Amino acid sequence: MAELPPLSLYIHTPWCVRKCPYCDFNSHESNHRELPEEAYLRALIADFDADLPLAAERPLVSIFIGGGTPSLLSPRFYHVLLEAIQARLSFAPDIEITLEANPGTTEQHRFTGYREAGINRLSLGVQSFHAEQLEALGRIHSGEEAAAAVEQARAAGFRNINIDLMHGLPGQTPERALADIDQALALAPEHLSWYQITLEPNTAFHSHPPVLPEEEALWEIQDQGHERLETAGFSRYEISAYGKPGRESRHNMNYWQFGDYLGIGAGAHSKLSHMRDNSEWVIERRWKTRQPEAYLQRLGDLRGFVAGKREVNVAELPLEFSMNALRLTDGVPIALWSAYTGQPEAVLNKRLQSAYKKGLLEETAKSLRASPQGLLFLNELLAEISDE
């Protein structure tokens, strides 16, 4: 690796109105109490200050504000926060700044305030437009409110909007799943995240699993949904991400291409590269104190906000790199594998032979790219390449 990879910033907001039964993110119900905006703002800025040396003066290429429900916090909060961050570290001229928002927690005047604060991309957690599915998912908005939120965002000046949709939901038929796509397309977003629900550990759905569609119905949803999105002019550039030309999520692309990112906020994670003794590249992962109250108590504490950190073992790098890069439908240049894992291409080429024979990889001279079958059976492909 001749130089450090691009740098992004992730900001975590840990509160939500209601914990959804499928959600395994670090989110905590606000119980309708007033959120500690000022204290959290001070903590985030102090957290960023502590991590600033790790940026190595690289400009930020993207910022993603996730949660929880970031739109529970005021536009002023983000105006002050983004202004403080930019005063400490430069922004790339075309920086992408994304805010996650739930349709049930926003009004048009807030969208206008977020846009004025410098946020230029909105990601709306719609999940479905059907009342039955929304109720099963524990969502607090209706399909009508979801459509209205897109209209309000447009009126506020947003020209880059993502809609999050899930499929394979409890009680969902293929017809309803495809109708969700049609309703999303009618709202003309620039990007769609479309992914199948999974029952994650430590969630209510994992403890009390709902009845999900049969395998045959899931295949029908995926095949017809993919065709419908491509016909509408969306390109699938990652396993569950579809964008209009030039509207791919830059923040997520940096993740998948194994770029670096700082993470600030309760439970936020970072991935950072640096050189040791001018000869050895080291990748470190670190994470912040998870509980919001405990995180706020770290403000002014000599221990800082970091709850833990570890270096990625050299033996882990092939899997770490591949499990990100191979999610991209175009893959990555083969040369990057050697640059980021520290292993010669000859080692990779030896491992690729079996994956080629199984039809899991496209046979290209310069790219490491999963075949359509490889994208469906990514875990098998990763096992072949990483030698795990």
Side-chain angles (χ1 to χ4, degrees):
M1 187 161 48
E3 58 185 24
L4 287 170
L7 181 68
S8 294
L9 173 66
Y10 175 74
I11 302 169
H12 191 72
T13 304
W15 297 284
C16 56
V17 174
R18 181 195 298 169
K19 182 78 171 179
C20 296
Y22 60 85
C23 177
D24 68 335
F25 296 134
N26 182 33
S27 59
H28 306 263
E29 292 189 1
S30 62
N31 296 317
H32 302 285
R33 70 182 188 276
E34 186 176 351
L35 298 179
E37 280 203 10
E38 290 303 316
Y40 200 61
L41 177 62
R42 292 195 302 272
L44 285 174
I45 294 172
D47 193 354
F48 187 74
D49 280 337
D51 280 357
L52 194 56
L54 303 171
E57 299 182 350
R58 284 171 288 177
L60 291 172
V61 298
S62 66
I63 297 174
F64 194 97
I65 306 164
T69 306
S71 52
L72 288 176
L73 298 176
S74 70
R76 175 194 169 276
F77 176 91
Y78 293 112
H79 181 88
V80 176
L81 177 60
L82 293 172
E83 192 174 68
I85 290 169
Q86 189 172 18
R88 290 158 169 79
L89 194 63
S90 63
F91 288 4
D94 59 349
I95 189 171
E96 172 194 272
I97 305 177
T98 302
L99 176 82
E100 284 187 334
N102 282 346
T105 60
T106 52
E107 297 176 1
Q108 185 172 338
H109 74 274
R110 278 211 161 189
F111 282 136
T112 300
Y114 295 142
R115 188 72 188 87
E116 291 173 349
I119 293 161
N120 55 26
R121 184 174 182 269
L122 211 57
S123 182
L124 290 170
V126 173
Q127 314 313 352
S128 176
F129 291 93
H130 287 89
E132 183 181 336
Q133 273 68 58
L134 289 168
E135 183 178 356
L137 293 174
R139 306 298 288 173
I140 62 173
H141 66 271
S142 65
E144 293 76 16
E145 286 173 326
V150 176
E151 300 289 340
Q152 291 163 359
R154 291 292 188 210
F158 281 95
R159 298 295 175 261
N160 195 358
I161 296 175
N162 169 63
I163 290 178
D164 257 10
L165 279 183
M166 301 173 76
H167 62 86
L169 303 177
Q172 189 180 53
T173 62
E175 292 74 20
R176 279 195 174 179
L178 296 173
D180 275 342
I181 291 179
D182 290 339
Q183 287 181 269
L185 292 175
L187 296 170
E190 285 71 31
H191 190 280
L192 269 167
S193 296
W194 187 61
Y195 49 93
Q196 184 177 325
I197 191 172
T198 55
L199 306 185
E200 301 290 350
N202 303 315
T203 65
F205 272 1
H206 191 267
S207 302
H208 305 284
V211 178
L212 300 179
E214 298 290 338
E215 197 71 25
E216 185 176 341
L218 292 174
W219 283 111
E220 181 181 345
I221 291 169
Q222 290 181 20
D223 288 345
Q224 293 190 28
H226 174 72
E227 181 180 347
R228 200 160 294 196
L229 287 166
E230 291 215 321
T231 299
F234 285 82
S235 175
R236 184 193 191 194
Y237 67 95
E238 187 266 337
I239 285 178
S240 58
Y242 295 76
K244 289 285 190 177
R247 292 298 194 170
E248 299 85 358
S249 167
R250 294 183 203 163
H251 190 84
N252 286 339
M253 284 292 289
N254 194 40
Y255 282 163
W256 307 137
Q257 292 172 338
F258 218 48
D260 279 357
Y261 51 92
L262 290 169
I264 61 173
H269 285 239
S270 304
K271 176 254 173 185
L272 296 154
S273 309
H274 65 273
M275 181 172 279
R276 178 186 289 144
D277 300 329
N278 295 318
S279 61
E280 179 186 10
W281 283 106
V282 176
I283 291 176
E284 180 184 84
R285 294 196 178 275
R286 52 172 59 200
W287 51 96
K288 304 298 173 61
T289 300
R290 184 178 174 85
Q291 293 293 327
E293 294 79 8
Y295 178 84
L296 289 172
Q297 288 171 6
R298 291 290 188 100
L299 182 61
D301 192 314
L302 292 178
R303 294 173 296 171
F305 299 93
V306 177
K309 56 185 176 181
R310 73 175 188 91
E311 287 185 7
V312 178
N313 189 286
V314 173
E316 297 175 276
L317 284 174
L319 179 60
E320 286 253 357
F321 174 74
S322 301
M323 69 191 298
N324 285 281
L326 288 173
R327 293 182 63 94
L328 294 169
T329 55
D330 286 343
V332 295
I334 284 180
L336 282 186
W337 189 87
S338 180
Y340 284 110
T341 66
Q343 298 188 10
E345 284 186 31
V347 172
L348 174 63
N349 290 333
K350 185 177 180 180
R351 294 178 182 175
L352 294 184
Q353 300 313 307
S354 177
Y356 285 139
K357 289 177 183 178
K358 292 182 178 180
L360 300 174
L361 279 177
E362 299 281 2
E363 294 200 44
T364 62
K366 295 183 179 180
S367 295
L368 183 63
R369 184 170 72 216
S371 67
Q373 183 180 355
L375 290 172
L376 289 173
F377 300 98
L378 188 59
N379 287 340
E380 183 180 350
L381 174 55
L382 291 173
E384 294 285 345
I385 292 180
S386 63
D387 200 29
E388 289 285 328

